[in-house]
Amino acid sequence: MERWRGRLALVTGASGGIGAAVARALVQQGLKVVGCARTVGNIEELAAECKSAGYPGTLIPYRCDLSNEEDILSMFSAVRSQHGGVDICINNAGLARPDTLLSGSTSGWKNMFNVNVLALSICTREAYQSMKERNVDDGHIININSMSGHRVLPNSMTHFYSATKYTVTALTEGLRQELREAQTHIRATCISPGVVETQFAFKLHDKDPEKAAATYGIMKCLKPEDVAEAVIYVLSSPPHVQIGDIQMRPTEQVA
């Protein structure tokens, strides 16, 4: 990780869960991290924690509604003017709504598509352009995907969510191919965790907190820090090594 010290990483959805764990891990490694979310109170607290702990990097909170392209473009413009540009883009933000294919709301589908697919694609495009204009040839774009991007569970409330994550799988491989066509050494990776103990299930089952709690109570789940360690592993790999996907589950998870 030595070569990444002092360079800038963007982490979306950094207000909690996997995003917060990744942001902390990168600051511990000496990176300058822009952590964005719709609300930045938690990121501000994490930034203060990192500073008081004496970590060599810095965490910069940035308020951004990823469902709004203008917000995303404004964020990249601010990063360009204040910090130079993005060297690592970690597309972590994602959401699931309990909208089934047969009776789900169009607004719920749009929310998932806008954040899980479009925001990820816009951030990827802008990060690449930021690297290109500064002749950065060793950048890295990491998409936090899901095991739901590799198999469809018999759970109607996650079918549309799973479709967005299959899209992320395709986008990551397509990105890898386009980066090769552009003759760059910028790398693209997705990390696909199974059940991670975060607020994810509580937001999915927001009307049934007992069901959400049960999701995490039936096994020893992955922790956000486990996914953050996978991010560090990917970034630590030698420049000639392209890691396409890391699939990781709790040992006790069946599907």
Side-chain angles (χ1 to χ4, degrees), residues 141-214:
I141 297 167
I142 299 176
N143 295 328
I144 304 300
N145 195 359
S146 168
M147 286 303 302
S148 291
H150 300 280
R151 84 286 190 258
V152 179
L153 295 176
N155 177 354
S156 60
M157 287 194 296
T158 63
H159 286 161
F160 193 94
Y161 169 77
S162 186
T164 68
K165 290 301 184 177
Y166 265 83
T167 305
V168 173
T169 300
L171 287 171
T172 307
E173 172 57 15
L175 174 62
R176 185 193 70 80
Q177 293 181 17
E178 290 193 25
L179 289 169
R180 291 307 312 125
E181 289 169 7
Q183 297 185 328
T184 82
H185 293 87
I186 298 168
R187 295 180 293 176
T189 301
C190 72
I191 296 175
S192 304
V195 180
V196 185
E197 190 170 356
T198 63
Q199 289 297 306
F200 182 88
F202 289 95
K203 292 175 182 176
L204 173 61
H205 304 295
D206 54 359
K207 296 177 182 175
D208 192 349
E210 289 186 8
K211 184 173 185 178

Side-chain angles (χ1 to χ4, degrees), residues 22-238:
V22 170
R24 181 194 295 271
L26 294 175
V27 172
Q28 286 176 320
Q29 295 290 337
L31 279 82
K32 184 185 294 185
V33 179
V34 173
C36 76
R38 282 182 300 176
T39 56
V40 294
N42 289 349
I43 306 175
E44 290 171 345
E45 290 179 13
L46 179 57
E49 288 176 25
C50 290
K51 187 174 181 179
S52 63
Y55 296 154
T58 55
L59 176 57
I60 303 151
Y62 195 94
R63 184 179 287 104
C64 180
D65 179 359
L66 290 166
S67 65
N68 184 327
E69 182 175 11
E70 289 183 3
D71 257 27
I72 298 174
L73 298 180
S74 176
M75 175 177 66
F76 273 91
S77 178
V79 170
R80 180 184 296 110
S81 62
Q82 297 171 27
H83 308 289
V86 173
D87 300 307
I88 298 168
C89 179
I90 299 178
N91 290 307
N92 164 73
L95 62 93
R97 300 301 305 151
D99 290 279
T100 67
L101 301 180
L102 298 184
S103 60
S105 69
T106 304
S107 64
W109 294 340
K110 283 183 176 178
N111 285 343
M112 285 185 273
F113 189 80
N114 285 341
V115 175
N116 299 2
V117 177
L118 283 183
L120 176 146
S121 298
I122 295 166
C123 287
T124 295
R125 180 190 68 203
E126 296 304 309
Y128 170 70
Q129 294 298 330
S130 174
M131 295 173 198
K132 182 181 177 183
E133 69 187 17
R134 294 174 297 122
N135 296 316
V136 170
D137 194 45
D138 64 343
H140 210 133
I141 297 167
I142 299 176
N143 295 328
I144 304 300
N145 195 359
S146 168
M147 286 303 302
S148 291
H150 300 280
R151 84 286 190 258
V152 179
L153 295 176
N155 177 354
S156 60
M157 287 194 296
T158 63
H159 286 161
F160 193 94
Y161 169 77
S162 186
T164 68
K165 290 301 184 177
Y166 265 83
T167 305
V168 173
T169 300
L171 287 171
T172 307
E173 172 57 15
L175 174 62
R176 185 193 70 80
Q177 293 181 17
E178 290 193 25
L179 289 169
R180 291 307 312 125
E181 289 169 7
Q183 297 185 328
T184 82
H185 293 87
I186 298 168
R187 295 180 293 176
T189 301
C190 72
I191 296 175
S192 304
V195 180
V196 185
E197 190 170 356
T198 63
Q199 289 297 306
F200 182 88
F202 289 95
K203 292 175 182 176
L204 173 61
H205 304 295
D206 54 359
K207 296 177 182 175
D208 192 349
E210 289 186 8
K211 184 173 185 178
T215 302
Y216 302 131
I218 58 175
M219 71 183 102
K220 184 173 177 59
C221 301
L222 298 177
K223 301 293 185 186
E225 291 74 19
D226 297 322
V227 183
E229 286 184 13
V231 170
I232 298 300
Y233 169 74
V234 167
L235 290 171
S236 301
S237 61

